[in-house]
Amino acid sequence: MKKIKQVIFIFAALLLIGGCDKDFVEVNTDPFAINEIEPGLLFAGAQRTYLGGWEGEHTIVQQFVNPFNDGATLFVNFNENVDNFQNGCWGSYSGSIKNFVHILHLLEGTTDKVNLQSMTRIWKAQAMMIMVDTYSNVPYFNVGLAAIMGEEYFYPSYDNDEAIYEDLYNEITEALDNLNPSGDFVADDLFFGANAYYPSNDAATQVAKWKKLGNSVLLRLGMRYSKLDPTKAKSIVAEAFDGGVMTSNEDNAFVVYDGTKYTNGSNNGLVNNQPKFYYAAEPFVDHLKNTNDPRSKYMIAMFDDPGDPLGTAVPGVDLEDQFGVPVGVVRTALPDSPYRGVKEQGYDYSQMNVNVMASLLAPSFYLTYAQTSLLLAEAAHRGWIPGGETAAQQYYEDAIRADMDVMALYISETGSSYAPISGAEQDAYIAQANVAYNAANALDLINTQYWVVCLRNGAEAWSNFRRSGYPALNRNEWDDQLLEYGGDGFVHRYTYPDAELSNNKSNYQAAVAALEGGRDDLRNRVFWDVELLP
Amino acid sequence: MRKVTILFVLLLFAGVQVAFAQRTVTGTVTRADDGSPLPGVTVLVQGTTIGQLTDAEGRYTIQVPNNQAVLNFSFIGFTPQSVTVGSQSAINIRMDEALLQMDEVVVTALGIKRESKKLGYSVSTIDTEEMLTNKAVNMMESLEGKVSGLNITPPAAGAGASTQIRLRGQVAFAGANNSPLLVINGLPMDQGANSADGYGASRDLGDNMNSLNPDDIESMTVLKGATAAAIYGSRAANGAIIITTKSGAKNQGIGVEYSSSLTLQEVLDYFEFQDVYGLGVNGQKPISAADATSNGQFGWGAKYDGSLVPAFNGDLIPYEFQPNRLKQYFNTGSVFANTLAFSGGNEHGSFRASFARTDTKGIEPTNEYKRNIANLGVTYDITEKVNFSVNVNYTNESYINPPQIGTQGEGSMNFLTRVSQSIPLDIIEKSAINPATGTEWPVAGWTTINNPYYAHQVGQSYIRNRDILLGTATLRYDITDWLYAQGRFNYDYSLSFTESKVPGGIGTSQPMHTDGTWKGAYNVSENMGTNINSDFLIGANRDFGRLSVDASFGGNTFRIKNHNFYVNSSHFTVRDLYSIANGVDKSQGFGFSQSRVNSLYGMAELGWNSTFFLNFTGREDWFSVLNPNSNSKFYSSVSGSVLFSEFLEDLDWLDYGKLRGSWAQVGSANGVNTYEGYLKYGINADQFNGQTLASISGSGAPNPNLQPFTVTEKEIGLELRMFSNRLHIDLAAFDKVTTDQILNVMLSTASGYSTSKKNLGSLKNQGIELMVQFTPVETNNFRWTSSVNHSFLKTEVLSVGVDPDGTPIDDMLVIAFNTTGMEFLGELHYTVGMPMNMLYTRTYLRNDDGDILLRDNGRLLASNDYIPVGSSLPKHTGGWNNTFSYKNLTLGVFFDYKFGGTVLSATLLNATRQGLSMLSLEGRREGEAGLTFPGVYQSTGEPNTSVVTDLQGFYGDYRNLQIGDPFTFKSDFVKLRNISLSYDLTSLMRGSSFLGFIKGLTLTGSVRNVYTLYKDIPNLDPEALQSSGDMRAGYENSALPTTRNYMFSINAKF
């Protein structure tokens, strides 16, 4: 009897005294989920950042053309502002950038992962730089924090593009200072970690590579100021140069694909999904032809059926047989004179070579020695780094050779039967009058090479084109839309995603108001893009 | 099963050792008013199990142990009496009719019994006996129209389907659980409706009410309002239904009860298809089998002429209308339910053990539902002050091939209403399988119309077996006569196993995948769940002069844990071999969740002079799913009542008058999911060149600040009993506002995430509930009692959230049916200022004068916008129940109705655009050479004179342009829902020496869905909706036909 009484009261007391929310945190933690993660794995997951796309950036710089203007494929080849094509870069916010921000949050206040932290800061700066270059003012200081900081961060405000660049400079330089050869080894790093194409096995080796990568990012950032503020450009470029930039192809930041579990998805459309829509652009093809560029066969080819390029056993790669689709011509015009007409499912023009550079097995290059060396060539030419024109020429030629050497990697990765470019071919190419370094024409030569080198990095190709004004391209004359409001006929920025108007209205409206003329359009320019293109 | 039997036997032996009688007392019980004998009066020796019922002449004979024995006489409707035996050997008793049932006791929240006069809120007690005369597999179905404020909607979804249960409206937006809390022997549980939701192949897999046998129910109380349920705090948002199962009665000896019922379900076919034009297009008969197939869905052919035409399978068949395919296809459904119960009791306790089996065959061929329920209730006084009771309910149920409804594709109703009415059912059955390929032989040109016979013939099956164990143990200690303490432990365990065989040949002529494997799939899954509820309660009840105090304090912990596994296997290497091993593609998964709510609560009731009553409740809930920094919430209520009839004693006609009022706040954490407050990570299935890749899971930002939504309800009520209790009126009015509902909000993706949840939406339900019970005629042998209940419900959406910059949003699209890919027209919205569940569709384009605007060719134009056409929720619901008793014969006649709701009919849209409906005859009736639609030209405003001859194109525009006008109906109805006739043979039996061992025998026959007196929608039953969920509110598409049910039952007591 007494026992029962006791049981009841003990039970009641337990509930009261034991605390009414005892163990609740544990109860509300899914024991079967991944609730904690090694931040290095997040870094690996986020490391493949935005590179631009064929139908966007590569089309703006006239390397690529989709002449179909029917509905869903209408975009910059027809000077049109179409929302979904411009949102890919913005997608980095919920992809790479969210995870970078999260890694930095997880590592906040820790000291044992300083190298991972620094790599994340450098690579996040690289990704944000592309974001600014693409849209101008964008959310920066408060991004990716919705899950960490709560409701105040659901609708980030837009930050001034120049101010973001200032912070990117600080982030990169601080991270470079913090990199520690005797610190943590980030085995998960896709570029220089244990499973990278050129793997490192210790922190010292890896940190040396990241120092070069970080300084190369800094060099890229410094060069962006070349027209806006040459003094500042010079100072940053010199700092990067002094810190040590990439010196060989083994320093390249890139990944390769196994072709089954992972592929180069940006080439998917060209290979599988309606290949007949996609062609090489005339200015690019003509440049390759005019310079007898030995890289051409890896880049472009003629296929028996443009609708089924993989079905062509031996694609035509002879340079004289290559023809690019003229810019701003609609597909309904292509069958007739003066154009080359129909071939099978498509048109009788060159396409990207789906067996090599447009293959699903093509590696993705984020930042390369060749790009870096070309930027150094310009810096030397401008006198921002030592060595004068001699050095400039050396950097220029090294870059061309490095890029040609990289073709060997494409060949091995894609299983292509083409031969690598020999030293003799490289020499012959560089010796040509319209290729050989010439101080009087240095900026054109260097930046036109940069354009070729950036064939698989549209975002960088577009930025450098806007920055340098080279190569000298003619505007797309499909219509005069891009000449309105004092435009020069070229696309200078992407517009913000339409979804921002509905989901981030007041910040979006403030951001648009801050743009020149209050216009969220393709003509407005990023802060460093100060001169109209010729 | 074997164990259960052993248990029964043991219990029988335990109960047999009862009384030791010593002396005989006899007597007669008569009515005090006219002296006529009273049969069936319980005569009990107090404190023992010795008991008797009086016979037809009111006589009894009973053995009493000694002179101190006290005899208790009781009979429903009469004032009980007690007499000490003393030396008497004959005791005659005159019993007074208990005119006033003011002291009626009802079971309230937490199972606490209360005198109804003390309650400041509305409760309804279900007449569980009457419910059995109208028995349904899911007992909720029997309650439709019976209780004011309780809106039951049984979807037409096959045997064992769930019902929609809503108390005082839909409390929250779709997605939240809007059905009341079910409290079974103290265990609070959700209804757990597994509704058909219209996406994909949808099947209704019942709800938790199915685990109860209607015969086992002792009492059922509906706590309609927030105040009534307030003590359940965060689970009381939707009111509560308190269900207690039987535990036998003390001092009754051993009894055996057997009930058996057979219900036959006849399909009601309201369809009226056009019977003039047959299969085909352009006014042509099919010229080949291929032609017959590709146009099999159309009734745009030639006039029926009886000539021989090719059918889809190449047979030559007469070109004739097939009128009765629905009745031909569907079977007569049947429900065979048997319950055997043993009960017994002595002075220390009682038990009841029952076993019930229900075998249900659905009207859909192959559809079955089988259920076994074993129920045990034991209550035992360990000492004078300590009582222990246990209730165990074990259910095993099988859902066998629940029909696929409410969607395109598979499902018989989609097929039967969408292939031309000129194809006879026998060839559809005969030629279901294409012998050349072994795949489905298409009857129509659209792959979304699938021959149900194919699935039957090639062995499609979907079976869910479910075991549910509900157990309750209660220990109660009466510390003094005014103070008690109680501890209770509830356990709910369920395990379900689902096996699905999906033939590869449905809707295709290609049996193989391109990779050379066979189509088809085999899926198995298992779900296990446990709910544990343990609580304690300390109650005190004491009078201080005129002041009475009743106070309770308690606490509770509620724990839920679930996990599930599934393995799906497809791409078979051996054709039609259903095995996990046979599939080349396999996927598997595991899910887990657990949560806990701890609570402390208290209530106090103060009474003054048995006239004024004041009640307070308070409850604090702690939630594991909420942010640890603010994880508790307080809920409270206050209510009061005045027995004003105490002041009006000179009003002879007024027996009882009570005015009541209450305010309460309750809530629901529904919508805050487990593990929702923090991030999880995902690892890519494949390594990247040997490197593991990880990322943050999902695109939703967890919002750790989510709180339960809140319901605030005010209620006033008036209760009157008049004219010697022959008229009873209960009137209630309530106002219920739901705030801080949890809604998804879109984020700027720059935040890293695309959605999150916030506490944003609110809505209001207001209503009036009236219940009138009266006894128009009452004589010695004949009694007519009648009760009417009516509920009026007014709903309004108050808020559906704000824009990121704080601007209120005025409309929220819940679902655009047409964009699901499986549905056909209309949208469901929540629009601020409008009633809940507003249906929208495009309509005819009209000018300001209301004329329909047409194109120059006389074809239709649609409105640019979707326009609100009405709420799915009925405004008025109610019923009128009549019971006529003559001697031992009882006749029940029950009508019910719903008014003010709207329904969109996809079935009629399809039947029209496909040329099958009566509407599609407009323009091609005898003498018509086309359609000149009444309207004016958009271009000129002149009346339309164009004759449209392409009627297929014209009617197709309804679908293409999404014009909903002809397919929007009122869901109103008035039905003669039920007629039942019971005959109580007890007294007859008692008179017979041969059958005297039978203590009670009742025969009942009833018909359900007798007749529809009024409805607006043609061809369909307005109640034949597909889903008990809120997402499909007001959307009709391919539900099963309603049935008329004939039930015969026998109930015997030994």
Side-chain angles (χ1 to χ4, degrees), chain B residues 221-451:
Chain B
T221 313
V222 182
L223 306 179
K224 296 176 206 173
T227 322
I231 203 67
Y232 292 112
S234 63
R235 307 193 71 189
N238 308 303
I241 297 178
I242 313 294
I243 299 167
T244 312
T245 59
K246 292 174 180 168
S247 300
K250 277 186 185 176
N251 301 325
Q252 62 165 21
I254 289 292
V256 178
E257 204 171 325
Y258 172 70
S259 78
S260 178
S261 69
L262 175 67
T263 308
L264 297 175
Q265 302 174 322
E266 171 198 11
V267 169
L268 296 176
D269 180 4
Y270 295 107
F271 275 99
E272 198 183 346
F273 291 106
Q274 59 88 3
D275 59 359
V276 184
Y277 295 92
L279 185 156
V281 294
N282 302 323
Q284 304 294 318
K285 289 187 269 193
I287 51 165
S288 64
D291 194 22
T293 306
S294 65
N295 296 320
Q297 64 273 33
F298 292 123
W300 302 112
K303 283 191 176 176
Y304 286 118
D305 58 7
S307 62
L308 289 179
V309 293
F312 70 94
N313 63 348
D315 285 4
L316 285 178
I317 56 167
Y319 199 54
E320 278 171 354
F321 182 64
Q322 305 291 326
N324 283 317
R325 287 196 318 204
L326 227 55
K327 291 210 167 192
Q328 249 178 289
Y329 176 80
F330 289 108
N331 294 335
T332 297
S334 65
V335 183
F336 187 43
N338 289 286
T339 303
L340 181 64
F342 301 89
S343 61
N346 60 19
E347 70 270 33
H348 295 301
S350 63
F351 78 95
R352 181 179 179 277
S354 74
F355 175 73
R357 181 172 171 86
T358 304
D359 284 286
T360 304
K361 285 190 163 50
I363 54 172
E364 174 79 36
T366 75
N367 175 210
E368 288 180 66
Y369 172 72
K370 292 177 179 176
R371 175 173 82 185
N372 296 305
I373 299 179
N375 181 284
L376 172 69
V378 178
T379 174
Y380 187 73
D381 291 334
I382 297 170
T383 73
E384 250 176 54
K385 290 184 166 180
V386 180
N387 176 269
F388 180 67
S389 59
V390 174
N391 291 83
V392 181
N393 191 85
Y394 167 76
T395 308
N396 164 263
E397 56 179 356
S398 300
Y399 292 88
I400 301 166
N401 299 313
Q404 303 182 70
I405 54 165
T407 179
Q408 292 203 70
E410 298 169 60
S412 54
M413 276 305 269
N414 176 62
F415 179 85
L416 293 168
T417 59
R418 291 183 66 194
V419 295
S420 163
Q421 303 301 316
S422 56
I423 313 170
L425 206 58
D426 54 353
I427 69 160
I428 292 173
E429 181 172 12
K430 183 185 78 179
S431 297
I433 303 174
N434 184 340
T437 57
T439 58
E440 180 183 339
W441 200 332
V443 178
W446 293 340
T447 54
T448 51
I449 298 176
N450 302 123
N451 185 343

Side-chain angles (χ1 to χ4, degrees), chain B residues 17 70 111 150 183 233 287 302 325 343 403 415 468 553 587 624 701 712 753 828 939 988 1008:
Chain B
Q17 341 158 347
V70 175
L150 175 65
V183 185
I287 51 165
R325 287 196 318 204
S343 61
F415 179 85
I468 306 144
F553 174 76
S587 63
S624 70
T712 309
Y753 303 82
L828 181 67
S939 54
L988 219 67
R1008 184 171 173 79

Side-chain angles (χ1 to χ4, degrees), chain B residues 39-50:
Chain B
V41 175
T42 307
V43 186
L44 267 179
V45 181
Q46 190 171 305
T48 72
T49 55
I50 309 164

